Amino acid sequence: MLEIEIDGKKLTVPQGSTVMEAAHSVGTYIPHFCYHKKLSIAANCRMCLVEVEKAPKPLPACATPVTDGMKVHTHSDMAKKAQAGVMEFLLINHPLDCPICDQGGECQLQDLAVGYGNSSSRYQEEKRVVVGKDMGPLVSAEEMSRCIHCTRCVRFTEEVGGFQEIGMAHRGEFSEILPFLGKTVDSEISGNVIDLCPVGALTSKPFRYSTRAWELSRRKSVSPHDGLGSNLIVQVKSNEVMRVLPLENEAINECWIADRDRFSYEGLNSAERLKQPMIKFDGQWHETDWETALNYVVKGLNGVSADHGKDAIGFLTSPHSTTEELHLAQKLARAFGVESIDYRLRRSDFAADAAKQGAEWLGSSISDLAAAKSVLVVGSTLRKEQPLLTSRLRSAAKKGSELNIIHVADDELLIKINAKLIVSPLALVNGFAQVLKAVVEIKGGETSVDLSAVQVSAEARRIAESLSGAETAAVVLGNVAQHHPAFSQLLAVAQEIARLSGASFGVLSEAANSVGAELVGALPQGAGANAAAMIAEPKKAYVLLNTEVEFDSYNPQAAVAAMKQAATVIALTAFKGQGLLDYADVLLPIAPFSETAGSFVNMEGKLQSFNGVVRPLGEARPAWKVLRVLGNMLNLSGFDFNSAEEVRAELLAKGDIAARLNNALNQLNVAAAATAGVARIGEVPLYQADAVCRRAESLQQTRDAAEPVASAHSGLLQKLGIAADSTALLSQGSGQARVRIVADDSLPQDTVRIATAHAATLALGGMFDAIEITQG
């Protein structure tokens, strides 16, 4: 530890600390622009100049390392004169267009100019003009004349985003920040450069010119998208969500948020918002009042129950719903006598259900996963599934952590990879079992998995050596693994690898509340059918909570067919999508996350509660209230809740959350042999994962939301006589889709990669099932 004195305050700081870090540790503010605690030191704005005793001139606090006995003055005459001089230089070319600047009222340059600048400038020359840049549909760079070249955005895209999409060209007063020529900024976390920009050069394109910062109310919330549980500040005006910003939480999202967390708010006020209960009769939709709609629902459920029994009813819920909503949904179903309830619509393998000992979760804290010396990620398109977690793993890899991958496609993760094994979906279990066999050989011990037919590849051995030799290690299964037809076997192999190597193991939760859905028991019990069974053997009545089966199911073709044959489909939904209008019979308008109180349990098992930030739109009501009233109208006991907090208290009374988190399985047979055929790789696109994202206009204009293009190995295309970059006809079951197909030799030979959950591919079947491909 080193001793330092700052403005008369004595303190001790670790070796290697900078003056800026030392000052922050005692609450002393030093003005700065280019410095950011999460980025490398650039020292190019010079705003943080301070006086250091015995130094002949002011020194930049961000780049000056502390030495023992150093004495620093941050507000001496020398420091203030230096800071005022730097500010004068910064403002020479700045346009001073504060009255029309979108950053006005929350501009760091504006604030520091008042606090540390002079009242007037000695420079009267013409100011430079920089042409605006096109950075895509999310980030506006129309006013680059305001840029002060702090390079925060440049460093962010390179160091946190993993790919330098923004750079600084030219020198001196001709310097410009710009994307690569003709390119847009397409990172899944690109919106963070808006927060980083200390002036109005980079702003939010959807938010631009919509309101002023001081007109907004700021309210805390939690992301409703992936399982990370990012903390948000939602900014509101006139009962409308206007902007979403990150709320710093070092343990979860640090100080960043993903673009879908930031821009998805546009979907909350989509033209498809359902504002009034609706009933279909004579093939036409009619708006009605709540009493009529609820009576219709009660009559429908009682009618199906009387005619066909309780087993003819199924509840399909969304893991994007709040814990309280999911708790009441399963409580309502069971109190009514229905055991068929499930949130896992995109799952295809449920064999592990009988062997499960608790709720699936990450297996460690997010911080511990990021700090692990070796991590194996199985079946995950990481950047598109978990954007912020990927950035943490990227940072860990730079510090020496080893990231290993087993996947069905060789994606560019923009991370240094220790070892990777790319296999067909048909061979995913076999590839994972190779690692297990190598771990058995390295560590000794025995496993119940039959590995006699498994041949260990060089990459699998490298992965096993990494896991076995690391002080801390983790094995995690991504969305592709969870949707895979052999998920239970993958989970069993992960458990064995973890047991033998000493690693933790778990799943990267797909949705905001996947863990919460497990904890409250939104799962089939007894003779109840799981989601796949409810589709394969259709029910007479379905209750849908916050879900659109054509986008949210493993096999959209079969899911829609099951809905259309049902006697009644009751949908509690915030949106009246075309699919629901086709197959539902009654639509009950419920509030999205922004309009209701509730909680989500993130992948590490942390329950995070939030309140509604705006009033429900139109006649929409929080889903927990709708479910409570339905319980009363069905004459069920235990539905006397007056608030979401009361519902939460009941579900928490079941026991401590941490005690119920357990990925362990009882004995489960694993067949590691690969099979033949052409398999589909059907991932869910980044901005198609949930109903709100699907309706966010700006997100739907990004490259990640473009119409799906099929890709296959050139060898497979040649074998089938299909020309690359032409139209192909894809067939699964009774459905077909015509799409452009391209050659991608990084894919396994026997696969066709085509996204699911997109309007262009809704006619197709299972996400990882067999697929036929012909020239279209």
Side-chain angles (χ1 to χ4, degrees):
M1 300 293 281
L2 303 174
E3 282 197 3
I4 181 175
E5 185 179 299
I6 299 179
D7 294 337
K9 297 178 187 173
K10 290 188 176 180
L11 63 148
T12 57
V13 296
Q15 185 88 30
S17 298
T18 63
V19 172
M20 181 75 81
E21 291 165 343
H24 281 182
S25 70
V26 291
T28 299
Y29 180 74
I30 298 175
H32 60 274
F33 292 114
C34 68
Y35 170 79
H36 191 278
K37 63 182 179 181
K38 293 290 183 181
L39 303 175
S40 62
I41 293 168
N44 53 5
C45 78
R46 317 308 281 184
M47 192 64 213
C48 64
L49 291 175
V50 294
E51 179 183 357
V52 177
E53 283 193 11
K54 299 181 181 177
K57 60 181 181 180
L59 299 177
C62 67
T64 303
V66 170
T67 57
D68 206 27
M70 177 183 276
K71 292 185 178 181
V72 177
H73 304 283
T74 67
H75 294 91
S76 66
D77 289 341
M78 177 192 281
K80 287 195 286 187
K81 185 177 179 181
Q83 291 162 1
V86 169
M87 179 59 70
E88 188 174 25
F89 275 123
L90 287 173
L91 295 178
I92 289 173
N93 273 315
H94 195 78
L96 303 181
D97 57 348
C98 303
I100 64 150
C101 178
D102 213 45
Q103 196 97 329
E106 53 184 6
C107 173
Q108 201 175 338
L109 180 66
Q110 195 177 54
D111 295 342
L112 294 186
V114 172
Y116 296 88
N118 293 322
S119 58
S120 61
S121 173
R122 291 171 289 173
Y123 292 87
Q124 303 300 322
E125 289 79 10
E126 288 186 4
K127 294 180 182 286
R128 74 174 193 154
V129 176
V130 180
V131 176
K133 310 294 186 292
D134 178 17
M135 291 192 180
L138 305 179
V139 180
S140 173
E142 293 297 314
E143 307 292 346
M144 292 308 291
S145 298
R146 299 171 184 158
C147 178
I148 60 169
H149 306 140
C150 69
T151 69
R152 279 182 173 184
C153 56
V154 176
R155 285 174 284 149
F156 173 83
T157 57
E158 182 176 13
E159 297 166 15
V160 181
F163 178 63
Q164 191 177 346
E165 293 183 283
I166 302 173
M168 187 160 75
H170 313 306
R171 293 171 64 85
E173 71 164 330
F174 301 105
S175 298
E176 290 186 39
I177 299 291
L178 69 168
F180 286 107
L181 297 177
K183 302 287 187 181
T184 54
V185 178
D186 299 310
S187 168
E188 56 282 351
I189 54 176
S190 65
N192 290 291
V193 301
I194 298 167
D195 300 333
L196 287 171
C197 185
V199 295
L202 301 179
T203 53
S204 167
K205 192 168 277 188
F207 174 74
R208 184 174 158 86
Y209 296 144
S210 60
T211 188
R212 287 296 194 177
W214 55 83
E215 298 175 314
L216 298 168
S217 300
R218 292 158 174 78
R219 289 149 194 181
K220 297 179 181 179
S221 193
V222 179
S223 166
H225 304 302
D226 60 50
L228 194 73
S230 297
N231 290 200
L232 311 176
I233 296 173
V234 181
Q235 299 189 331
V236 174
K237 177 187 176 185
S238 302
N239 202 51
E240 183 178 344
V241 175
M242 302 298 291
R243 184 166 62 168
V244 175
L245 300 174
L247 175 62
E248 185 170 348
N249 186 329
E250 192 62 29
I252 296 176
N253 58 299
E254 300 176 288
C255 55
W256 318 118
I257 53 174
D259 285 355
R260 65 178 166 197
D261 300 329
R262 183 183 300 273
F263 298 107
S264 64
Y265 71 87
E266 287 185 300
L268 298 172
N269 295 303
S270 158
E272 290 191 350
R273 269 302 298 272
L274 180 64
K275 302 176 187 177
Q276 191 85 15
M278 297 178 72
I279 294 175
K280 183 194 286 182
F281 57 87
D282 294 334
Q284 299 295 317
W285 282 101
H286 301 271
E287 290 188 347
T288 186
D289 56 74
W290 269 105
E291 185 178 0
T292 304
L294 291 172
N295 281 324
Y296 182 95
V297 170
V298 170
K299 183 180 177 182
L301 289 176
N302 283 328
V304 171
S305 174
D307 295 343
H308 305 282
K310 309 288 190 188
D311 290 344
I313 302 172
F315 280 61
L316 294 171
T317 66
S318 168
H320 295 282
S321 301
T322 68
T323 319
E324 294 76 9
E325 292 165 358
L326 290 162
H327 172 67
L328 285 188
Q330 65 84 27
K331 183 175 181 177
L332 176 71
R334 296 200 162 95
F336 191 61
V338 176
E339 292 295 347
S340 298
I341 178 170
D342 208 343
Y343 75 93
R344 302 165 297 176
L345 277 76
R346 291 195 180 120
R347 267 307 152 85
S348 57
D349 177 22
F350 300 85
D353 283 10
K356 284 165 65 170
Q357 296 182 19
E360 293 169 9
W361 69 300
L362 183 60
S364 69
S365 70
I366 293 165
S367 298
D368 286 347
L369 176 68
K373 298 301 182 185
S374 176
V375 178
L376 170 58
V377 180
V378 182
S380 176
T381 310
L382 257 179
R383 284 174 55 201
K384 308 306 178 186
E385 292 175 12
Q386 305 289 346
L388 286 184
L389 187 61
T390 304
S391 75
R392 293 190 77 144
L393 292 174
R394 182 177 297 120
S395 176
K398 289 179 179 178
K399 297 172 184 173
S401 174
E402 294 181 345
L403 179 64
N404 305 283
I405 301 292
I406 299 178
H407 195 31
V408 296
D410 192 5
D411 293 314
E412 179 51 74
L413 299 180
L414 307 175
I415 308 176
K416 180 183 177 184
I417 305 295
N418 176 63
K420 62 183 173 186
L421 187 60
I422 307 302
V423 296
S424 161
L426 300 169
L428 190 58
V429 176
N430 184 281
F432 202 13
Q434 290 179 35
V435 177
L436 173 56
K437 188 167 186 176
V439 169
V440 170
E441 292 170 359
I442 294 168
K443 301 290 283 188
E446 296 183 353
T447 176
S448 58
V449 179
D450 181 7
L451 300 171
S452 57
V454 175
Q455 300 293 319
V456 179
S457 64
E459 286 297 292
R461 191 171 302 281
R462 283 188 65 197
I463 294 171
E465 289 169 351
S466 174
L467 291 172
S468 301
E471 183 181 337
T472 53
V475 180
V476 289
L477 306 182
N479 290 3
V480 170
Q482 293 169 59
H483 301 157
H484 192 276
F487 169 60
S488 58
Q489 298 185 46
L490 294 170
L491 197 58
V493 173
Q495 175 174 283
E496 287 295 275
I497 291 175
R499 179 180 64 82
L500 292 167
S501 67
S504 66
F505 82 102
V507 297
L508 300 171
S509 300
E510 176 183 9
N513 211 17
S514 299
V515 178
E518 291 264 327
L519 289 169
V520 302
L523 300 162
Q525 290 183 359
N530 58 50
M534 281 188 252
I535 299 301
E537 300 174 14
K539 302 291 184 181
K540 289 295 181 184
Y542 291 97
V543 177
L544 307 180
L545 173 61
N546 202 20
T547 187
E548 299 169 298
V549 298
E550 67 275 21
F551 291 105
D552 298 333
S553 299
Y554 177 81
N555 186 332
Q557 182 188 116
V560 171
M563 296 301 119
K564 287 186 174 179
Q565 66 76 47
T568 184
V569 175
I570 300 154
L572 284 72
T573 176
F575 302 96
K576 48 181 178 181
Q578 187 55 52
L580 287 170
L581 292 174
D582 284 346
Y583 55 71
D585 297 290
V586 56
L587 301 179
L588 303 180
I590 60 171
F593 84 105
S594 57
E595 299 169 16
T596 182
S599 62
F600 295 136
V601 182
N602 73 351
M603 63 174 68
E604 67 179 1
K606 182 174 183 178
L607 184 141
Q608 300 185 103
S609 61
F610 54 89
N611 292 312
V613 297
V614 292
R615 295 187 305 277
L617 197 62
E619 289 297 308
R621 296 291 180 266
W624 70 265
K625 287 187 176 182
V626 179
L627 292 164
R628 178 201 65 189
V629 173
L630 278 174
N632 292 330
M633 294 179 70
L634 288 166
N635 298 317
L636 307 175
S637 61
F639 286 84
D640 301 319
F641 305 101
N642 294 312
S643 67
E645 287 73 21
E646 288 184 17
V647 182
R648 191 180 313 139
E650 180 178 274
L651 69 90
L652 290 176
K654 289 183 177 181
D656 180 50
I657 286 178
R660 289 182 277 154
L661 300 173
N662 191 344
N663 292 310
L665 300 175
N666 296 322
Q667 189 66 33
L668 192 70
N669 293 326
V670 176
T675 54
V678 176
R680 176 184 178 184
I681 300 174
E683 303 121 308
V684 178
L686 179 62
Y687 300 133
Q688 296 292 122
D690 61 80
V692 178
C693 276
R694 289 193 283 266
R695 290 167 174 85
E697 187 178 340
S698 296
L699 291 180
Q700 295 307 316
Q701 294 171 9
T702 61
R703 182 174 294 182
D704 279 311
E707 186 162 317
V709 173
S711 52
H713 194 283
S714 58
L716 177 63
L717 294 180
Q718 189 174 1
K719 176 183 172 184
L720 297 174
I722 297 170
D725 206 19
S726 65
T727 301
L729 180 66
L730 306 180
S731 303
Q732 281 186 300
S734 60
Q736 296 180 329
R738 278 186 170 81
V739 295
R740 188 167 71 89
I741 190 161
V742 297
D744 182 355
D745 287 352
S746 68
L747 290 173
Q749 281 266 9
D750 52 354
T751 60
V752 175
R753 191 178 199 181
I754 180 67
T756 187
H758 193 284
T761 59
L762 292 184
L764 296 177
M767 297 160 68
F768 296 94
D769 292 349
I771 189 168
E772 294 181 11
I773 172 174
T774 55
Q775 189 75 62

